[in-house]
Amino acid sequence: MTRAHLAIVGPTASGKSALALEVACTLGDVELVSIDSMQVYRGLDIGTAKPSPAEQAQVPHHLVDVAEPTDEWSVARFQQEARAVVVDIEARGKRALLVGGTGLYVQAVVDPLTFPPEDRAVREAILTRSAEHDLYAELTAVDPDAAAGIEPSNTRRLARALEVIELTGRPFSSFGTGLQTYGPTVFPVHLAGVWLPRDVVHQRIADRVVEMFDAGFVDEVRALRDTGALSRTAAQAIGYREVLEHLDGNGPSLDAVLDAIVIRTRQFARRQRMWFRRDPRIVWFGAPENPCSVLPALLASWSA
RNA sequence: GGCCGGGUAGCUCAGUCGGCAGAGCACGCGCCUGAAAAGCGCGGGGUCACCGGAUCGACGCCGGUCCCGGCCA
């Protein structure tokens, strides 16, 4: 018999992890797969709200602590490793419970996405000439379909499209129908979304950031800085960027840093909301306050 | 008490020579295929501290009032 895998998605601070742990303990035959672009880095613990060692001991967690903070990470790499993990879990007769809020990563695992090759040097060269050349016009000339889906001002995505074309000789748009196809997934999976009222999420974010500071977040960042520079990708993590700026010189005060982190986290949660809300395959479970209260409904839905 | 500077969007501030107000951030809505906790687009929002005056017309000029900051007493 082939039982479907499971997934819990949703905005940050909406209680996915706690809920997932309860699900795992109840079901007994699942292993967790973190779908999180920042929990992959060792040493980024407090700021990424990574599951504690005690929690990880209760049930196997995958794709947590699989890269050095000095390493670069990417969707393509995540896709490859996550799919391997799912195959592995399956081979042990268990089910995967995907848990996370990185929307693109969820789709990279679950949808038939093919990521064309990359060459950082080529991309950098394109980025460099973007000062002189109009990348949007350039892309429109060679791949109008791709250009139609990118804002003329979004240099980063324009450069990526041009990079792929230069590397493969094929139009960027030939590599996929886009993210909004929402066709059949590459393996059977129940997609569940947790949803809390916005003011509850905002409060949870504010509380969590204060807890992070109380738990020694600044020390964690300082230690990372002293060990070696965070990679380009790891340095994007919310909180780390802000605290680093504070530590390295005459940056803003810690109070200001805390406020900035709360704001950026809220904005992140908003983008996650936008991302997941579009996916018609996600079944939403709303809770007025405590996310774990949806557990019965969630399990009922999955056993049906 | 006197002198000087300031009161304009939720916040920080622009606003030339008088012609019914702008930016950044925040906030809201949305986009997304190798940085995605990234990147990008659109939008709402103002009794220009208050009162009076000159002017066709005032955020701007004149007079007064109230706040805030600094200096002097």
Side-chain angles (χ1 to χ4, degrees):
Chain A
M1 69 175 199
T2 83
R3 292 164 306 168
H5 295 286
L6 310 168
I8 298 176
V9 302
T12 188
S14 56
K16 299 183 296 292
S17 300
L19 181 59
L21 216 52
E22 294 216 15
V23 168
C25 291
T26 308
L27 261 34
D29 69 333
V30 305
E31 297 188 8
L32 299 191
V33 182
S34 163
I35 311 290
D36 189 298
S37 65
M38 295 300 163
Q39 289 185 1
V40 296
Y41 297 110
R42 288 185 200 96
L44 274 66
D45 301 331
I46 299 171
T48 62
K50 193 178 287 176
S52 68
E55 287 167 329
Q56 296 194 43
Q58 287 181 55
V59 45
H61 283 63
H62 300 277
L63 292 180
V64 170
D65 293 339
V66 292
E68 294 302 326
T70 48
D71 289 345
E72 296 229 338
W73 189 261
S74 73
V75 219
R77 187 168 166 196
F78 186 86
Q79 179 185 53
Q80 188 184 351
E81 303 211 4
R83 292 223 173 129
V85 162
V86 171
V87 167
D88 202 50
I89 290 172
E90 232 168 42
R92 286 197 300 275
K94 294 197 170 182
R95 289 184 284 173
L97 173 51
L98 315 175
V99 192
T102 304
L104 178 61
Y105 283 21
V106 173
Q107 285 194 253
V109 177
V110 148
D111 282 315
L113 264 44
T114 304
F115 294 97
E118 72 147 354
D119 186 327
R120 187 76 30 87
V122 169
R123 196 186 316 173
E124 291 305 326
I126 294 168
L127 248 13
T128 302
R129 76 166 182 259
S130 76
E132 297 281 302
H133 297 261
D134 179 357
L135 295 187
Y136 186 70
E138 206 175 313
L139 184 62
T140 303
V142 288
D143 188 355
D145 288 341
I150 304 177
E151 311 277 358
S153 54
N154 201 336
T155 314
R156 185 177 296 192
R157 295 192 51 234
L158 290 170
R160 168 61 183 156
L162 289 166
E163 170 197 359
V164 169
I165 293 167
E166 199 166 317
L167 251 37
T168 64
R170 285 172 51 190
F172 182 62
S173 56
S174 72
F175 285 93
T177 48
L179 289 161
Q180 289 207 69
T181 311
Y182 304 122
T185 53
V186 295
F187 52 77
V189 56
H190 293 297
L191 294 168
V194 262
W195 175 86
L196 299 179
R198 193 178 303 185
D199 53 326
V200 174
V201 173
H202 286 183
Q203 190 56 54
R204 288 172 62 104
I205 288 171
D207 292 346
R208 177 191 272 190
V209 173
V210 170
E211 284 164 20
M212 278 166 30
F213 274 72
D214 290 345
F217 180 51
V218 174
D219 291 335
E220 175 175 301
V221 180
R222 191 181 288 117
L224 285 165
R225 182 199 59 178
D226 295 344
T227 308
L230 292 181
S231 69
R232 192 183 56 141
T233 48
Q236 311 286 167
I238 294 175
Y240 294 86
R241 197 164 87 183
E242 286 78 6
V243 172
L244 280 174
E245 191 188 347
H246 165 79
L247 292 175
D248 298 350
N250 34 35
S253 70
L254 272 187
D255 280 346
V257 164
L258 193 146
D259 289 344
I261 294 173
V262 169
I263 287 171
R264 188 144 86 100
T265 307
R266 274 205 308 248
Q267 295 174 333
F268 172 48
R270 193 186 71 74
R271 270 180 278 132
Q272 290 175 302
R273 213 160 55 227
M274 293 298 152
W275 183 286
F276 291 121
R277 212 161 55 179
R278 301 184 304 163
D279 191 334
R281 300 166 303 185
I282 297 174
V283 180
W284 290 96
F285 295 86
E289 183 81 31
N290 177 9
C292 287
S293 65
V294 309
L295 183 64
L298 187 63
L299 292 174
S301 154
W302 282 349
S303 65

